[in-house]
């Protein structure tokens, strides 16, 4: 393989993360895709097996390509409170918060997690690049911001046995970490950060290290988990888990406002089912507040729905209707056969006022069997919760497995 | 004596397009071209041994895909091949590469300025918004805002709806966009002067504006709104040179029964009692037709081939005032090998794309200052390409054709006519300029065709050598092109029409003016249209 480090993109159009060699060593199928300029695996061995590592044992997924930023300075809190619709005064040091941020029209630019690592310092981890968003919003605030995407390597470590494995690895006190806690731990060549967070709706952690510690943390986890079915996984398995967990994805559930060309094609937090993140009355102005107040008052255009789909045909790309052969009221954005919930599920959007919890909508599903297309109408029930939302996600201390 | 339904004056790509759609409708059409060869500024000629040059235009993006498909140009031998990116060389020995591949483009910008990576996406989104607005206009006739005809009201309503669709923020930005300079526009996005310089080139190509002149931002959009195979903003080579476009159009035209006559130009359009009767050629031949369509620019059309008495005082005045300043030159070079650019890393394939010199905005403006002072730019902006790295048909094996578009080059030098010595001086200056970045360049040169506005005017017949048949400023766009009241392709006398780049939507190898004019002519003749509609991006 060519040199995948640095900026030699005239030789290679993709970069390798610091975990590249480790993943390559366990890669049996050679199916990779591009993620923010990096090459990452879709699958390393077998999707089903990798998925069950998430839900049954422990899975290791490379999240290095996530865009990462450090925001520091006396005005760090004020700045974050201005940028984000959440009430950031509530996010204490040592805590992580999921959030979205909006443009002036109240449309979602991106979602991500905020780590309050010190009184005056946050990390922001996002799907899309946000350096310019930080730059534009920093005006008037005493802060410094820096992109640390290429300096921080990260693994998402998810599954019911992950706490046990981290204990085995010697991360003392890990079991006392609550959901959305972050903590620093000693590690050769410098402290590393572990947060109890993830994208699977399950027990799990994210581990943040310097690039030169990447291989060591990988080896540490695999050594400590060697008696369990710890596995490196690719993006395909994670995708099933995130749909099962009812979590949204950029470019799937929403078109990032900054990159959206067509009027009306971006979405607001309310329309993404994320109204709980928006604190209109938090006492300070934040980006998009005026538009969101208006929306709150006048109502939203769409509702995000998690659907339990009748039958066993996934509702891929399906339109949603108010009744069988009825009026088209929305569309499906993500689908999965949920192997743990053992349900046929979908995420999607319907026009208001449709889609209240417990109500029915209908999907017209096209599917193919041996090159022949069939169609079927399926009743879909709007679920209150995600298809998979186990108590162990939040239980502290977690059980060993 | 035979009488044609329509005579088209000029076998530029628009004249041929116009002729093809009219012939397709079953009309008896004659296209008359003054040169022995067709294509106008869309031409490939063999001037040196086995080399073929794209003498004027050199890359394709604006050409309406609907026309390409409808006239079956693939069957008539046209193939447009996308090329990948390019680079801007810096004085310090570095370069900024561009890639069609989004992720690679981002990494390259990151190398120069991380925050501009994000800006680049924001810029791309905004340009896509304006493209989405403007592209559906290309195959439509601009409405006359003063008219109360149903059709004009319909078209105005269409426009209003499109404006209404833009949110208030986008609307504000859009209104500014049409009057702002490309420098000011880029300042809203980028911090790196190099990134700005790389982007700014398309805002000044072919125009008598500098990067800091209001209106130049639109010129950039004019270079962005095209696509190759749906990839917006991408450019490609016509295999065999740009002349293949004219050849293919002519193939379609003739297949539909059209006639072509080359080698003698039209001297005058004959008008009797306010109605077109035919044309008289420079060689004295008179040919009759019910309708005459001019593919020439507005100045040549209304001040040369139409009698001022027929044109009328208002039109003559408007034509005199029409802005059509020559500002570009071109070198077509036969090379014995591939020039080396030490700034590019070994293994880079960027040389297959377009490359530029001018790495900061100030330098652009200085190049423009030279032009305003009546001189060619000492350090010009160049847009250079070596199509033969991609196209196997234009030069002998291992040899290459390099097309070097040069901005700025004035229509006269210090107020005096161009002389052969001055033309050579201009060419040498460009070659010296490139040689500063490519040590082996001069040794590879076998033959050079140097074209200043003088050559472009004399050979292709573009007044002052203006590549767009008139400046692309708001006062000369849409229902103002070429002038208010005459934007619907109809001339001041009955049976007279215009189909060249002086009409909406303007210059470039786009074929839209020719097609739009055909639609109007067929409408006047109460025939059903043969011109395809815009295929829509949404
Ligand atoms: C140097 C240069 C580079 C360019 N580069 C590009 C590029 O890369 N990509 C791009 O899209 N566009 C480019 N353009 C612009 C584009 O080529 C022109 O805008 C377009 O080709 C004009 O087409 P047209 O059919 O409207 O007119 P023309 O091509 O000008 O056609 C007019 C025709 O009328 C003929 N004619 C003139 N007078 C008479 C007469 N009295 N009787 C009969 N015939 C007459 C001419 O000989 C000519 O054939 C460039 C132009 C130039 C000059």
């Amino acid at each position: 393989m060519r040199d995948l480090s640095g900026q030699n993109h005239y030789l290679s159009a993709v970069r390798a993360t610091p975990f590249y060699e480790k993943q390559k060593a366990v890669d049996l199928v050679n199916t990779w895709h591009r993620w923010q300029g990096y090459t990452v695996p879709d699958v390393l061995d077998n999707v089903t097996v990798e998925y069950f590592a998430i839900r049954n044992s422990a899975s290791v997924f490379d999240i290095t390509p996530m865009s990462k930023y450090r925001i520091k300075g006396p005005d760090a809190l004020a700045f974050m409170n201005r940028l984000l619709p959440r009430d950031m005064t509530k996010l204490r040091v040592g805590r992580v918060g999921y959030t979205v941020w909006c443009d002036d029209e109240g449309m979602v630019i991106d979602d991500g997690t905020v780590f309050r690592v010190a009184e005056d310092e946050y990390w922001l981890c996002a799907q899309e690049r946000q350096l310019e968003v930080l730059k534009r919003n920093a005006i008037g605030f005493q802060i410094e911001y820096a992109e640390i995407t290429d300096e921080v390597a990260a693994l998402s470590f998810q599954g019911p046995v992950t706490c046990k494995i981290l204990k085995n690895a010697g991360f003392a006190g890990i079991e006392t970490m609550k959901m959305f806690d972050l903590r620093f731990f000693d590690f050769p060549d410098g402290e590393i950060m572990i947060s109890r967070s993830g994208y699977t709706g399950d027990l799990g952690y994210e581990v943040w290290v310097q690039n030169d510690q990447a291989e060591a943390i990988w080896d540490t986890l695999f050594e400590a988990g060697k008696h369990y079915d710890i596995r490196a996984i690719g993006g395909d398995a994670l995708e099933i888990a995130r749909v099962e967990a009812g979590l949204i994805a950029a470019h799937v559930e929403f078109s990032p406002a900054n990159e959206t060309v067509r009027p009306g094609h971006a979405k607001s937090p309310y329309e993404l089912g994320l109204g709980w993140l928006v604190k209109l009355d938090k006492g300070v102005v934040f980006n998009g507040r005026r538009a969101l107040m208006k929306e709150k008052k006048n109502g939203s255009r769409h509702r995000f729905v998690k659907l339990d789909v009748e039958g066993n045909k996934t509702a891929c790309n399906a339109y949603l209707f108010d009744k069988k052969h009825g009026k088209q009221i929305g569309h499906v954005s993500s689908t999965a056969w949920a192997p743990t919930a053992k349900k046929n599920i979908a995420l999607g959007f319907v026009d208001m006022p449709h889609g209240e919890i417990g109500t029915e909508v209908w999907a017209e599903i096209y599917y193919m069997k041996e090159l022949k297309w069939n169609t079927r109408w399926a009743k879909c029930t709007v679920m209150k919760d995600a298809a998979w939302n186990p108590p162990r996600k939040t239980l502290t201390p977690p059980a060993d497995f | 004596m035979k009488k044609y339904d329509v005579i088209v004056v000029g076998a530029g790509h628009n004249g041929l397009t116009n002729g093809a759609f009219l012939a397709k409708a079953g009309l008896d059409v004659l296209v008359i071209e003054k040169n022995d060869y067709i294509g106008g500024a869309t031409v490939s000629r063999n001037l040196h041994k086995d080399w073929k040059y794209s003498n004027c235009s050199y890359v394709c993006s604006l050409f309406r895909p609907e026309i390409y498909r409808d006239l079956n140009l693939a069957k008539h031998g046209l193939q447009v091949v996308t090329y990948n990116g390019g680079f801007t060389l810096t004085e310090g020995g570095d370069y900024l590469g561009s890639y069609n591949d989004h992720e690679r483009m981002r990494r390259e910008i990151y190398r120069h300025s991380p925050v501009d990576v994000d800006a680049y996406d924001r810029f791309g989104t905004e340009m896509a918004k304006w493209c989405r607005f403007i592209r559906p206009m290309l195959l439509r006739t601009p409405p006359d805002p003063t008219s109360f005809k149903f059709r004009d009201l319909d078209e105005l309503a269409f426009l209003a709806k499109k404006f209404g669709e833009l949110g208030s923020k986008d609307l504000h930005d859009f209104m500014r966009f049409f009057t702002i300079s490309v420098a000011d526009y880029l300042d809203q996005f980028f911090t790196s002067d190099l990134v700005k310089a790389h982007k700014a080139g398309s805002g000044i190509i072919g125009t008598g504006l500098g990067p800091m002149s209001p209106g130049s931002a639109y010129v950039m959009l004019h270079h962005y709104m095209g696509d190759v195979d749906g990839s917006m903003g991408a450019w490609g080579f016509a295999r065999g040179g740009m002349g293949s476009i004219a050849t293919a159009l002519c193939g379609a035209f003739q297949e539909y029964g059209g006639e072509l006559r080359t080698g003698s130009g039209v001297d005058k359009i004959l008008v009797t009692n306010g109605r077109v009767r035919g044309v008289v050629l420079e060689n004295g031949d008179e040919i009759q037709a019910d309708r005459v369509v001019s593919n020439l620019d507005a100045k040549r059309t209304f001040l040369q081939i139409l009698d001022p008495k027929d044109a009328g005082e208002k039109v003559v005045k408007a034509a005199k005032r029409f802005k059509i300043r020559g500002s570009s030159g071109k070198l077509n070079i036969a090379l014995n090998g591939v020039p080396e650019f030490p700034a590019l890393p070994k293994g880079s394939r960027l040389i297959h794309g377009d490359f530029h010199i001018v790495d900061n905005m100030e330098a652009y403006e200085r190049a423009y200052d030279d032009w305003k002072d009546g001189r060619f730019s000492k350090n010009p902006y160049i847009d250079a390409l070596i199509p033969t790295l991609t196209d196997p048909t234009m030069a002998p094996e291992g040899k290459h054709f390099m097309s070097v578009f040069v901005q700025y080059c004035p229509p006269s030098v210090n107020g005096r006519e161009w002389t052969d010595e001055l033309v050579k001086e201009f060419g040498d200056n460009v070659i010296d300029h490139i040689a500063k970045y490519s040590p082996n360049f001069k040794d590879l040169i076998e033959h050079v065709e140097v074209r200043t506005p003088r050559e472009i005017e004399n050979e292709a017949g573009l007044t002052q050598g203006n590549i767009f048949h008139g400046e692309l400023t708001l006062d000369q766009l849409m229902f103002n092109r070429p002038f208010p009241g005459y934007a619907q392709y109809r001339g001041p006398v009955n049976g007279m029409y215009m189909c060249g780049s002086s009409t909406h939507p303007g210059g470039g190898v786009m074929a839209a003016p020719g097609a739009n004019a055909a639609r109007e002519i067929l409408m006047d003749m109460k025939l059903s249209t043969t011109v395809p509609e815009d295929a829509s991006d949404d």
Side-chain angles (χ1 to χ4, degrees):
Chain A
M1 185 98 185
R2 293 169 187 276
D3 172 20
L4 299 188
S5 62
Q7 294 293 334
N8 299 332
H9 47 284
Y10 52 90
L11 294 176
S12 167
V14 293
R15 305 180 68 186
T17 79
F19 300 111
Y20 176 79
E21 293 299 338
K22 289 289 172 193
Q23 293 177 86
K24 209 63 213 167
V26 294
D27 175 21
L28 306 183
V29 293
N30 195 30
T31 325
W32 293 59
H33 68 279
R34 298 165 82 179
W35 178 14
Q36 294 279 341
Y38 288 93
T39 182
V40 292
D42 300 327
V43 189
L44 290 164
D45 177 351
N46 173 296
V47 186
T48 308
V49 166
E50 288 168 33
Y51 164 82
F52 279 112
I54 301 173
R55 295 284 185 239
N56 167 61
S57 53
S59 63
V60 179
F61 180 72
D62 181 2
I63 54 169
T64 305
M66 300 283 294
S67 300
K68 296 167 243 117
Y69 303 92
R70 182 192 293 119
I71 296 119
K72 194 172 160 51
D75 286 345
L77 168 60
F79 171 75
M80 296 310 270
N81 223 9
R82 162 83 212 207
L83 180 66
L84 308 173
R86 280 188 78 145
D87 183 353
M88 294 308 289
T89 60
K90 298 269 159 61
L91 192 80
R92 288 171 283 111
V93 176
R95 292 288 291 166
V96 184
Y98 171 68
T99 185
V100 289
W101 47 101
C102 299
D103 67 4
D104 290 344
E105 279 77 46
M107 294 295 133
V108 172
I109 292 174
D110 201 1
D111 68 342
T113 37
V114 187
F115 300 76
R116 189 157 192 193
V117 297
E119 201 57 48
D120 64 345
E121 180 178 338
Y122 294 85
W123 286 15
L124 177 69
C125 180
Q127 176 73 28
E128 302 285 305
R129 294 184 52 83
Q130 302 300 331
L131 189 60
E132 204 194 32
V133 165
L134 297 179
K135 180 187 164 205
R136 283 194 285 158
N137 284 283
I139 291 173
F141 289 97
Q142 265 199 55
I143 55 154
E144 282 164 25
Y145 56 87
E147 174 156 13
I148 51 174
T149 306
D150 291 347
E151 285 143 49
V152 176
L155 291 173
S156 180
F157 187 47
Q158 306 281 311
V161 195
T162 48
C163 179
K164 171 80 169 94
I165 293 173
L166 289 169
K167 275 192 285 186
N168 284 357
F171 295 109
I174 191 90
E175 68 283 357
T176 63
M177 280 178 72
K178 295 202 192 70
M179 174 92 176
F180 284 129
D181 273 355
L182 72 84
R183 223 173 264 179
F184 288 87
F185 292 90
D186 284 335
F187 198 74
D189 298 319
E191 274 189 334
I192 63 169
M193 185 172 88
I194 300 180
S195 54
R196 186 169 165 188
S197 49
Y199 196 44
T200 60
D202 214 313
L203 173 65
Y205 300 84
E206 289 167 325
V207 186
W208 312 82
V209 304
Q210 296 158 34
N211 287 339
D212 56 6
Q213 298 169 302
E215 300 212 336
I217 189 70
W218 181 281
D219 291 341
T220 302
L221 294 179
F222 279 86
E223 176 59 26
K226 68 182 173 195
H227 299 301
Y228 301 102
D229 191 21
I230 178 173
R231 277 183 183 264
I233 66 163
D236 288 359
L238 182 71
E239 171 66 7
I240 302 171
R242 81 100 193 152
V243 177
E244 207 172 30
L247 300 171
I248 60 168
H251 293 292
V252 182
E253 268 68 39
F254 68 95
S255 173
N258 278 357
E259 298 167 42
T260 300
V261 172
R262 288 165 181 77
H265 284 226
K267 291 199 179 87
S268 76
Y270 297 118
E271 293 170 337
L272 289 166
L274 298 174
W276 60 279
L277 292 174
V278 182
K279 288 283 170 286
L280 293 172
D281 53 359
K282 69 178 177 177
V284 291
V285 170
F286 61 89
N287 289 357
R289 185 174 79 149
R290 193 177 309 163
L292 291 172
M293 284 172 88
K294 210 164 130 195
E295 183 181 337
K296 178 101 189 173
K297 190 161 145 258
N298 299 341
S300 307
R301 299 165 300 172
H302 317 292
R303 194 197 311 264
F304 176 59
V305 287
K306 306 183 189 84
L307 301 173
D308 182 340
V309 184
E310 180 188 69
N312 58 6
K313 307 291 178 287
T314 47
C316 244
N317 300 325
Y319 278 131
L320 294 170
F321 298 81
D322 60 346
K323 49 181 182 275
K324 196 170 177 173
H325 299 291
K327 190 174 75 143
Q328 188 205 313
I329 53 165
H331 72 277
V332 164
S333 54
S334 296
T335 55
W337 171 260
T340 298
K342 290 285 183 271
K343 266 184 191 165
N344 184 20
I345 55 170
L347 307 178
F349 296 87
V350 292
D351 299 337
M352 290 299 244
H354 297 281
E356 296 231 40
I357 288 160
T359 60
E360 285 168 9
V361 298
W362 285 77
E364 189 184 16
I365 300 172
Y366 287 79
Y367 64 97
M368 191 169 63
K369 291 286 174 195
E370 291 168 337
L371 308 184
K372 194 170 174 312
W373 282 95
N374 300 305
T375 161
R376 180 166 299 181
W377 283 87
K379 187 171 78 184
C380 312
T381 311
V382 180
M383 300 186 285
K384 178 164 179 292
D385 291 317
W388 179 246
N389 188 20
R392 69 181 180 220
K393 178 170 89 174
T394 49
L395 186 70
T396 311
D400 277 350
F401 23 75
Chain B
M1 202 168 96
K2 175 162 184 181
K3 185 169 163 199
Y4 290 89
D5 290 326
V6 184
I7 287 175
V8 180
V9 186
H13 83 284
N14 277 316
L16 292 166
T17 301
N18 185 260
F21 283 117
L22 295 177
K24 191 180 177 189
L27 299 180
D28 210 353
V29 186
L30 174 68
V31 172
I32 300 174
E33 166 59 46
K34 76 170 169 67
N35 288 324
D36 295 330
Y37 49 87
I38 59 165
T42 312
V43 65
S44 306
R45 295 177 65 201
N46 167 244
L47 299 178
H48 174 75
K49 293 190 195 161
D50 290 331
W51 268 264
K52 215 188 308 163
Y53 295 158
S54 281
N55 307 71
C56 285
S57 60
Y58 46 101
V59 280
C60 180
S61 167
L62 298 169
F63 199 94
R64 299 290 82 217
E66 295 87 350
I67 297 172
Y68 200 141
R69 183 172 172 178
D70 196 86
L71 294 180
N72 224 336
L73 299 186
K75 181 185 126 185
H76 293 288
L78 180 58
Q79 188 181 8
V80 175
V81 184
T82 314
Y83 67 83
N84 182 15
F87 56 96
T88 291
L89 295 163
T90 74
E91 268 181 52
D94 198 355
Y95 74 103
L96 175 80
S98 68
Y99 300 86
N100 297 359
D101 176 14
H102 184 236
E103 302 243 347
R104 242 180 298 181
M105 184 72 228
R106 281 161 63 128
R107 269 174 74 192
E108 174 64 353
I109 295 177
Y110 192 93
R111 187 168 73 88
H112 295 278
S113 171
V115 73
D116 284 340
V117 178
D118 306 34
Y120 172 71
D121 285 349
R122 193 159 55 86
F123 171 80
T125 302
E126 204 167 293
M127 290 302 280
K129 283 183 188 172
W130 310 153
C131 285
R132 185 175 164 270
F133 189 92
I134 202 109
R135 282 162 57 94
M137 311 285 177
L138 301 178
L139 279 181
R140 300 178 91 98
T141 296
D144 181 347
T146 65
S147 150
F148 290 99
K149 283 196 206 129
F150 279 129
R151 176 157 174 259
D152 287 307
L153 293 176
D154 264 3
E155 286 295 312
L156 282 169
F158 173 81
L159 255 182
K161 182 167 158 279
K162 288 201 65 82
F163 274 115
E165 267 180 14
L166 298 172
S168 67
K169 183 184 167 293
D170 283 353
L171 198 53
H172 286 146
D173 291 345
F174 191 57
M175 299 310 255
R176 287 188 67 214
F177 179 79
F178 270 90
T179 49
I180 199 172
S181 74
V182 67
D184 283 345
Y185 188 67
L186 293 171
D187 277 345
Q188 296 176 10
F189 297 93
F190 301 107
T191 58
S192 150
D193 210 28
L194 175 58
V195 175
K196 287 185 225 173
H198 182 73
K199 289 275 160 213
S202 53
I204 60 152
I205 283 189
T207 173
L209 301 173
M212 298 173 192
S213 316
S216 48
Y218 172 75
V219 180
M220 177 170 66
L221 179 62
H222 200 85
H223 286 97
Y224 257 85
M225 66 193 186
D227 68 288
V228 183
D229 301 327
S231 168
M232 219 149 1
W235 287 78
F237 298 119
R239 197 172 196 261
M242 291 297 277
S244 320
I245 296 176
T247 310
L249 285 166
C250 193
F253 170 62
Q254 288 174 324
E255 190 184 51
Y256 293 129
E259 277 178 54
L260 173 74
R261 178 164 171 172
T262 57
S264 183
V266 166
D267 185 41
K268 278 282 176 275
I269 298 180
L270 298 171
V271 178
T272 308
N273 193 19
R275 163 117 224 138
V276 158
R277 202 156 49 76
V279 297
V280 57
L281 303 191
E282 280 153 4
N283 65 12
D285 290 359
E286 215 182 287
I287 310 174
Q288 297 196 346
D290 292 329
R291 289 169 185 79
V292 174
V293 191
S294 171
N295 180 197
L296 316 193
D297 64 55
K299 282 216 195 283
R300 282 179 140 65
T301 299
F302 296 116
L303 302 176
Q304 286 187 12
I305 61 169
L306 193 65
D307 193 305
K309 290 193 292 299
D310 296 323
E313 179 257 0
K314 266 199 353 237
V315 166
V316 168
K317 247 195 196 154
K320 279 193 174 147
R321 277 198 301 260
F322 187 62
K323 276 187 303 179
I324 189 162
R325 305 169 292 204
S327 61
S328 321
K330 192 167 185 244
L331 269 60
N332 296 309
I333 306 173
L335 293 172
N336 275 317
V338 186
E340 280 163 21
F341 291 94
L344 288 186
K346 278 231 160 0
S348 165
R349 289 174 67 86
L350 289 173
I351 186 111
H352 287 245
D354 47 37
F355 53 98
H356 317 279
I357 301 176
V358 172
D359 64 357
N360 68 87
M361 296 303 285
E362 194 64 29
Y364 271 109
E365 194 65 14
R366 295 290 85 84
Y368 179 51
D369 289 343
D370 287 340
W371 178 81
K372 277 185 292 182
D373 288 346
R375 298 185 306 267
F376 53 80
S377 306
K378 187 152 180 308
N379 295 308
Y381 167 75
I382 64 156
D383 183 29
L385 284 139
I386 308 177
T388 44
L389 286 166
T390 307
D391 181 347
T393 70
M394 296 178 76
E397 184 174 349
K399 318 265 175 177
H400 291 282
F401 157 53
M402 180 161 149
S403 161
V404 185
F405 182 89
V406 187
Q407 194 76 12
Y408 299 85
C409 184
S412 58
V413 185
N414 294 320
R416 281 179 293 121
E417 295 286 299
W418 281 92
T419 60
D420 292 350
E421 293 71 49
L422 281 168
V423 171
K424 181 164 187 312
E425 209 182 292
F426 165 73
D428 288 348
N429 181 59
V430 174
I431 288 169
D432 289 342
H433 193 53
I434 298 171
K436 279 186 247 162
Y437 298 83
S438 175
N440 71 341
F441 176 58
K442 278 189 185 173
D443 299 337
L444 295 173
I445 297 176
E446 242 205 62
H447 173 263
V448 190
E449 181 195 19
V450 184
R451 321 195 79 190
T452 70
R454 177 181 77 165
E455 285 71 33
I456 297 173
E457 167 145 20
N458 290 347
E459 290 162 29
L462 298 112
T463 301
Q464 287 211 19
N466 183 298
I467 76 165
F468 296 127
H469 281 205
E471 290 289 345
L472 300 172
T473 45
L474 191 52
D475 57 324
Q476 299 193 159
L477 286 174
M478 285 288 291
F479 37 72
N480 292 332
R481 193 167 185 89
F483 9 92
Y486 291 90
Q488 297 186 334
Y489 308 95
R490 289 170 186 80
V493 291
N494 278 333
M496 191 218 157
Y497 297 85
M498 304 165 262
C499 75
S501 299
S502 281
T503 58
H504 170 78
V509 182
M510 187 159 19
N516 289 345
R519 194 183 45 240
E520 295 301 309
I521 294 165
L522 292 172
M523 186 188 293
D524 285 353
M525 296 179 74
K526 305 206 161 36
L527 294 172
S528 51
T529 190
T530 50
V531 179
E533 278 185 22
D534 171 71
S536 167
D537 295 326
D538 284 349

